[in-house]
Amino acid sequence: MSVHSAVSVITTKRDGGELSDAQIDWVVDAFTRGEVADEQMSALAMAILLRGMTRRETARWTAAMLDSGKRLDFSDLPRPTVDKHSTGGVGDKLTLPLSPLVAACGAAVPQLSGRGLGHTGGTLDKLEAIPGWQADISVDRMREILADPAIGAVVCAAGADLAPADKRLYALRDVTGTVESIPLIASSIMSKKIAEGTGALVLDVKVGRGAFLKRLDQARELATAMVELGTDAGVRTVALLTAMDTPLGRTAGNALEVAESLEVLAGGGPADVVELTLTLAREMLVLAGIDGIDPADALADGRAMDHWRAMIAAQGGDPDAPLPRARHTETLVAPASGTLTRLDALDIGIAAWQLGAGRTRQGDSVQAGAGIEMHVKPGDPITAGHPLLTLHTDTPETIPTALETLRPAFTIGDTPANPTPLVLDRITAS
Ligand code: URA
């Protein structure tokens, strides 16, 4: 029996004390080995949520989670590695155009991604809408794809051996009301990102109605903690705080978002998706030390699309196969004329999930074709009786519930709303 009994670690934090390095190392390791019980770790997570952790404690906690598993190393690749992580938003399909775009500009993009839970979709769910595409590939195959100058980007599922302590802890936090702790979120995200072996990382921290952080001050605190953790671990890290009151682009739902990403890769697509994709690409290229290349050129001249096609094919997908479409659609028309002044990201996200685009529990399946198409965005004029939103689903019995969710989702006014900026702040290492 260790001198660090689980109870003494829990009571130290419960009473507002600071955990020592030895206590943190022990408790994370013992939890991973099953020596600390789930109920003990849940109690500790609640004490951390209520009492917080210092910068030193958070860094040590992250390192302990990192040490619970394998750490990938791509430092021998001939090109610099850089990745992006988003904290999740509605219609946030940016990884899809961004990864091949940044690869087309000369970086290698190793991206270990997740499946969605609740109203924000997961990148793997979107890519799995492409016939044949496989999320599970070996580290050796990942390395081959990253080293290939015609591909250079890989988006795949994180293996079970990467930060296993986080996987177990996150499952406990999910069911014990302890997700919303800034040090626990920061260490959870950064332990996985550092383990994936990227040399640089751009964080897209979403703020607003459709994000899990609703307030700018919370998002700034999380972004600062993550930038510090990345920087201290030797990963060049920058965070952008970006608006998530309105969905990104004109689609929310897996295959619908792939189709919109293809428009962006073909040089078109909605203005907000293009703007944020280019902003993040420029940040990633700076961190990767690549200058003199404008990613807008790589979108316009088809190089990003070539990398997309190669990236999809490298993981078994058929880039030419028609995307799945839902069996039923229902279009909601505008009840009045005027200007659309508000389109609520949370309501759209929840309705898309109700239609079958998202899952309720880990392991549930999702419908590839389900989701919502937005025919107008805030600032656009609209005429009574014209299409506002189209609902897509294979399960038409979900449509009435989704329509109920969407009733308060929009406002039609007389005067155009002032456009709000997409990027609200930028956080760099101090
Ligand atoms: N995403 C994660 O990976 N971890 C958290 O704690 C919250 C969001």
Side-chain angles (χ1 to χ4, degrees):
M1 180 73 180
S2 162
V3 289
H4 302 290
S5 77
V7 173
S8 78
V9 179
I10 296 165
T11 53
T12 302
K13 188 44 77 182
R14 181 198 66 192
D15 297 340
E18 203 175 324
L19 300 177
S20 68
D21 289 352
Q23 281 179 307
I24 292 172
D25 293 350
W26 177 80
V27 80
V28 172
D29 178 56
F31 173 62
T32 310
R33 287 185 286 105
E35 196 182 311
V36 166
D38 284 357
E39 55 271 28
Q40 293 175 311
M41 200 55 164
S42 302
L44 180 58
M46 184 58 83
I48 291 171
L49 179 130
L50 296 172
R51 293 294 195 171
M53 283 203 285
T54 63
R55 179 173 177 172
R56 182 199 58 76
E57 286 175 294
T58 311
R60 191 72 182 201
W61 187 273
T62 307
M65 298 226 287
L66 199 52
D67 288 346
S68 72
K70 242 175 43 185
R71 186 169 175 174
L72 305 183
D73 182 1
F74 295 117
S75 57
D76 58 336
L77 286 178
R79 294 185 298 156
T81 48
V82 59
D83 187 18
K84 184 252 349 180
H85 176 81
S86 161
T87 56
V90 177
D92 181 2
K93 69 273 300 169
L94 294 186
T95 292
L96 276 54
L98 185 62
S99 303
L101 172 60
V102 172
C105 295
V109 186
Q111 158 126 157
L112 298 178
S113 226
R115 290 187 172 78
L117 196 61
H119 75 275
T120 59
T123 299
L124 299 184
D125 297 319
K126 300 177 213 264
L127 287 166
E128 280 172 344
I130 300 170
W133 189 86
Q134 295 293 324
D136 294 308
I137 58 169
S138 69
V139 174
D140 288 343
R141 181 71 186 126
M142 234 182 129
R143 186 181 295 281
E144 278 170 17
I145 296 173
L146 290 171
D148 185 337
I151 318 175
V154 61
V155 182
C156 61
D161 48 3
L162 233 65
D166 176 65
K167 286 199 181 68
R168 288 195 55 204
L169 178 56
Y170 191 65
L172 285 186
R173 289 169 53 214
D174 203 26
V175 294
T176 55
T178 51
V179 167
E180 293 86 353
S181 151
I182 300 270
L184 289 180
I185 298 169
S187 55
S188 165
I189 293 174
M190 292 307 291
S191 61
K192 288 175 285 201
K193 285 287 142 181
I194 298 165
E196 103 186 347
T198 187
L201 177 66
V202 176
L203 296 162
D204 181 3
V205 180
K206 301 283 182 206
V207 196
R209 285 270 303 160
F212 81 94
L213 295 179
K214 314 289 179 204
R215 297 198 328 256
L216 195 57
D217 60 334
Q218 298 170 318
R220 198 174 274 126
E221 192 184 337
L222 176 64
T224 304
M226 291 196 292
V227 168
E228 285 170 356
L229 287 173
T231 307
D232 290 352
V235 178
R236 295 181 300 286
T237 309
V238 165
L240 298 184
L241 307 189
T242 69
M244 188 28 76
D245 285 320
T246 298
L248 264 174
R250 292 178 176 271
T251 55
N254 301 310
L256 292 169
E257 293 190 44
V258 175
E260 187 172 284
S261 302
L262 286 167
E263 288 173 27
V264 174
L265 287 162
D272 56 350
V273 178
V274 175
E275 180 190 331
L276 204 48
T277 300
L278 289 174
T279 303
L280 290 166
R282 291 186 178 114
E283 292 282 355
M284 290 169 77
L285 293 175
V286 168
L287 286 188
I290 295 172
D291 53 18
I293 295 186
D294 184 356
D297 295 339
L299 271 189
D301 66 15
R303 274 178 292 150
M305 181 65 100
D306 292 344
H307 279 257
W308 161 266
R309 293 177 61 80
M311 165 182 142
I312 295 305
Q315 290 179 239
D318 177 356
D320 295 313
L323 289 166
R325 291 191 67 81
R327 286 195 288 274
H328 302 269
T329 59
E330 170 112 1
T331 295
L332 179 66
V333 298
S337 296
T339 300
L340 189 74
T341 53
R342 187 183 65 88
L343 187 59
D344 188 278
L346 183 59
D347 292 339
I348 296 282
I350 291 174
W353 165 60
Q354 289 167 333
L355 291 166
R359 57 175 61 76
T360 305
R361 286 200 190 85
Q362 268 160 11
D364 288 355
S365 60
V366 296
Q367 293 178 28
I372 296 180
E373 238 178 304
M374 295 158 251
H375 301 287
V376 278
K377 291 289 295 281
D380 291 346
I382 175 121
T383 308
H386 280 221
L388 186 60
L389 303 167
T390 298
L391 288 65
H392 296 243
T393 186
D394 292 334
T395 43
E397 63 276 15
T398 60
I399 290 177
T401 310
L403 283 173
E404 196 54 36
T405 302
L406 291 170
R407 223 147 39 109
F410 57 90
T411 308
I412 296 173
D414 298 329
T415 46
N418 288 330
T420 45
L422 273 177
V423 178
L424 305 171
D425 205 352
R426 182 171 183 275
I427 311 284
T428 56
S430 51

